[in-house]
Amino acid sequence: MYDVIVIGSGPGGYVAAIRCAQLGMKTALIEKYPTLGGTCLNVGCIPSKALLDSSEHYHNAAHTFETHGIGLSNLKVNLKQMITRKNDVVKQNTDGIQYLMKKNKIDVHQGLGSFVDKNTVKVTKDDGSSSDIQGKNIIIATGSKPSSLPFIKLDKDRVITSTEALNLKEIPKHLVVIGGGVIGLELGSVYARLGAKVSVIEFMDSLIPTMDRTMGKELQKSLKKIGFEFFLKHKVTSVESKGKEVTVKAETPKGETVEVKGDYVLVSIGRRPYTDGLNAEAAGVKLTDRGQIEVNDHLQTNVPNIYAIGDVVKGAMLAHKAEEEGVFVAETLVGQKPHINYNLIPGVVYTWPEVAAVGYTEEQLKEKGIKYKTGKFPFMASGRARASMDTDGLVKVLADAETDEILGVHMIGPRTADMIAEAVVAMEYRASAEDISRMSHAHPTYTEAFKEACLAATDNRALHV
Ligand SMILES: Cc1cc2nc3c(=O)[nH]c(=O)nc-3n(C[C@H](O)[C@H](O)[C@H](O)COP(=O)(O)OP(=O)(O)OC[C@H]3O[C@@H](n4cnc5c(N)ncnc54)[C@H](O)[C@@H]3O)c2cc1C
C-alpha cells in the first residue's frame, strides 16, 4: 500500500511525486510512455525552446550579424542536426527526471494506469501484462493532448499538430498555422526564421487573444517583419491535403471564402484534457462538461482520497501552474495549508520579441470596473536594447489609480520571459509602482524598462523617454 500513487509524469505529476517523497510519503509514479517528463519535456516546452533557440541563431546569423560587423559566407541550415540537438536536449531532461525519481526513492511503474476502484490502479504495460497497485491517496496528472476541429483529418504528415511540427524532415515552403495562440506562433516562428512563409489564420480579432490586447498588436507587427502573414477574424471551414499540397479554406467576417495553399498545415487551436484509458468512472471520479477532472479549491475530486492537477483540471495549461499544483496537493496531504495565487501565474510566449505577463490585463480591469493608471516604456528608448538591436516592444504597467499597487504587468521585448519574474515578486509582495521606481536596477539591462514603466505609472515621470 503506497501513501500516494501519482498517475502521469509531466511537470505536475513528477513534481507532486518528489514533494510527496520529500514529505516522507511512500510514493509511486505511473507513466505510460517510456520516458518521463510528460508533454512539457518530451513534446512541449523543452523541445520547442530548443528549436526556437537554434532557429534564432540562424536568423541572427542571416540577418543581423552583418550589421554587427561579422561576415559569413555559405550559411546553411542543417535541419537534421537541429532536430538531433533538440532530441539530445530532451533526453538530458527526461533522464534527469529518471534520476530524480531514483534519488527520492519513488517507484516508477511504466504502463497505462487505469482505476480499478478508489484505492487500486491497474498498470498495463505495452506487452499487455498488467499488475495492480494500491494507494491511500491518488493524484491524477494525466495532462492534455492537442485538440482539433471535427472536420479536420490530422494525417500527421501534412496536416500536423505541434508534436509533428517538432520533428519535420524539411523546412516547409509555406506553413499554414490554424490558431494565433502561443504554440502556433512559437512553432511558426521556428520555421519563419528558417525561411518558410507562415500564414496564421485566427478566429479572434487579435493574436494571443487571452493576453492584454497591446501585446497581440505589437507581436503582430514584429512577426510580420520575419515573413508572417495574418488572417484575423477568419473562421476555418475546411482543410484538404492532396499530395504535397494542403488547402485551407476560411470564411472572412463578410462571409466570403479565402483559400490559403501551403505544403504543411499546423493545427494549433488548443489542447484538451486527457483521460483516455484512465477509467475514472471505476473510482467514481466526476468529469466536467469539458472533459476535465472536476476538482474543488483544494484540487480534490468528488472522491476524497483522489486529487487532480495540471492540464487535466481547470485553469491555465502551463507547466509551472501544474508544478505549483503538484506541490500544493503533496503539502495538503500531510496537513499543511499551502496556497496558490492563480492571478500571479505568469504567462509567456517565446517568440522574438518574447511576450510575458502577470496579473490583470487592461481589458479585465475595465470589465471589473477597477480604476487604474498606465505606465509604458518602449524598448526603443532602452540603451541595452539598442546595444543588442532588440528595440521592438514595450513594458506596460497597470497600477491601482488610488493606491498605486501594481495590478498587471505586460511586457513584449527581449528576454521578457526572464524579466517577468521581477513583476511576480513585486506583485506577490503587493508592491506599488513607486516601490519599484525607487529600487536600483543595474544599468544597462532590459530590466530598467520595467522600472521606467513603473516611473511612468507613478507620476508620469519616466526618465529616459
Ligand atoms: C509545443 C508546446 C509547447 C509548450 N510550451 C510551454 C512553455 O513554454 N511553458 C509552459 O509553461 N507550458 C508549455 N506548454 C504546456 C505544458 O507542456 C503543459 O502545460 C504541461 O506539460 C502540463 O503538465 P501536466 O503534468 O499537467 O501534463 P503532461 O505534461 O501532459 O503530462 C501528462 C503525462 O501523463 C501521462 N499519462 C496520461 N494518461 C496516463 C495514464 N492513464 N497512465 C499513465 N500515464 C498517463 C502522459 O503520457 C504524460 O506523460 C507547451 C505545450 C506544447 C504542446
Side-chain angles (χ1 to χ4, degrees):
M1 176 69 91
Y2 286 103
D3 292 318
V4 187
I5 297 173
V6 183
I7 309 177
S9 73
Y14 85 73
V15 167
I18 293 175
R19 190 72 187 116
C20 286
Q22 283 177 345
L23 291 166
M25 289 179 267
K26 187 169 153 54
T27 308
L29 179 71
I30 307 176
E31 171 54 56
K32 68 182 184 131
Y33 282 129
T35 54
L36 302 180
T39 304
C40 178
L41 273 66
N42 290 281
V43 291
C45 329
I46 297 297
S48 59
K49 265 80 263 179
L51 289 183
L52 278 158
D53 279 334
S54 297
S55 59
E56 193 187 322
H57 286 314
Y58 173 77
H59 184 80
N60 285 338
H63 297 280
T64 66
F65 274 22
E66 212 175 323
T67 319
H68 280 282
I70 305 164
L72 277 177
S73 56
N74 248 339
L75 185 66
K76 275 195 242 103
V77 180
N78 181 345
L79 184 64
K80 197 171 165 211
Q81 169 55 22
M82 233 177 237
I83 302 275
T84 303
R85 189 196 81 92
K86 180 266 297 176
N87 291 341
D88 286 347
V89 173
V90 168
K91 186 166 180 333
Q92 287 164 30
N93 281 276
T94 55
D95 285 355
I97 307 299
Q98 196 82 45
Y99 161 78
L100 290 173
M101 295 304 106
K102 225 182 193 168
K103 184 183 162 211
N104 287 285
K105 300 191 173 53
I106 295 160
D107 289 347
V108 176
H109 298 263
Q110 202 264 313
L112 176 81
S114 50
F115 279 99
V116 176
D117 59 43
K118 71 180 184 52
N119 293 104
T120 314
V121 183
K122 182 200 286 279
V123 184
T124 309
K125 290 188 190 312
D126 286 347
D127 65 10
S129 63
S130 69
S131 55
D132 288 357
I133 59 172
Q134 294 199 310
K136 287 181 206 153
N137 296 292
I138 296 173
I139 303 174
I140 302 171
T142 50
S144 62
K145 283 274 178 278
S147 47
S148 185
L149 294 165
F151 54 84
I152 299 180
K153 188 176 170 292
L154 290 167
D155 62 21
K156 303 201 174 176
D157 177 30
R158 296 277 158 184
V159 185
I160 59 176
T161 69
S162 56
T163 304
E164 295 76 49
L166 293 166
N167 279 308
L168 289 185
K169 299 222 161 34
E170 59 178 359
I171 299 164
K173 290 181 190 64
H174 186 177
L175 175 66
V176 184
V177 178
I178 303 179
V182 181
I183 294 175
L185 297 181
E186 287 187 2
L187 292 172
S189 291
V190 167
Y191 292 105
R193 291 168 187 172
L194 300 180
K197 177 176 176 184
V198 178
S199 304
V200 176
I201 308 177
E202 165 61 50
F203 179 65
M204 304 290 281
D205 61 354
S206 146
L207 297 180
I208 43 172
T210 55
M211 298 184 91
D212 189 282
R213 283 305 166 106
T214 315
M215 300 295 109
K217 276 189 205 144
E218 291 295 318
L219 185 59
Q220 190 172 347
K221 282 191 235 160
S222 295
L223 293 180
K224 269 187 183 163
K225 293 185 197 165
I226 62 162
F228 272 72
E229 72 171 348
F230 296 101
F231 298 86
L232 299 181
K233 291 201 265 181
H234 279 61
K235 183 180 170 191
V236 171
T237 51
S238 81
V239 175
E240 270 171 36
S241 158
K242 216 178 198 181
K244 291 186 176 176
E245 191 179 75
V246 289
T247 308
V248 181
K249 285 189 185 152
E251 206 177 277
T252 69
K254 287 184 183 155
E256 290 151 1
T257 298
V258 291
E259 213 178 71
V260 188
K261 285 187 190 297
D263 49 349
Y264 289 89
V265 55
L266 167 62
V267 181
S268 52
I269 56 158
R271 296 179 60 83
R272 66 169 176 93
Y274 184 74
T275 53
D276 300 6
L278 183 65
N279 204 21
E281 45 300 347
V285 172
K286 268 198 216 152
L287 269 61
T288 67
D289 298 345
R290 302 175 63 191
Q292 295 158 328
I293 304 276
E294 194 173 285
V295 287
N296 63 18
D297 288 347
H298 303 284
L299 299 168
Q300 189 178 32
T301 69
N302 60 307
V303 182
N305 70 315
I306 303 179
Y307 292 76
I309 58 173
D311 281 10
V312 79
V313 301
K314 63 189 172 186
M317 287 186 163
L318 291 170
H320 42 287
K321 177 256 193 190
E323 289 187 31
E324 293 305 328
E325 292 185 336
V327 170
F328 179 98
V329 170
E331 294 181 351
T332 302
L333 288 176
V334 292
Q336 296 183 6
K337 301 270 179 281
H339 174 71
I340 298 175
N341 186 345
Y342 283 97
N343 188 41
L344 295 190
I345 291 186
V348 173
V349 190
Y350 292 83
T351 44
W352 197 262
E354 291 175 340
V355 186
V358 63
Y360 292 116
T361 63
E362 198 163 346
E363 293 72 30
Q364 285 169 332
L365 291 178
K366 278 186 187 145
E367 208 181 290
K368 287 179 181 292
I370 298 173
K371 292 214 165 43
Y372 63 93
K373 47 193 184 157
T374 308
K376 286 184 187 166
F377 187 80
F379 279 101
M380 186 66 92
S382 147
R384 182 70 191 91
R386 283 194 208 118
S388 66
M389 296 203 307
D390 292 307
T391 49
D392 277 9
L394 63 117
V395 175
K396 171 171 163 180
V397 170
L398 305 168
D400 189 283
E402 252 176 61
T403 65
D404 196 37
E405 179 177 352
I406 300 174
L407 301 175
V409 178
H410 307 277
M411 303 174 164
I412 172 166
R415 300 278 167 245
T416 57
D418 297 297
M419 276 171 61
I420 200 68
E422 184 186 358
V424 177
V425 174
M427 290 176 72
E428 281 285 6
Y429 284 91
R430 304 197 59 177
S432 64
E434 188 181 352
D435 287 334
I436 300 300
S437 311
R438 292 190 179 277
M439 290 175 194
S440 174
H441 286 64
H443 175 73
T445 56
Y446 302 122
T447 65
E448 288 168 297
F450 179 43
K451 172 176 173 160
E452 290 274 0
C454 286
L455 277 166
T458 307
D459 231 347
N460 201 15
R461 58 186 189 92
L463 294 164
H464 290 90
V465 72

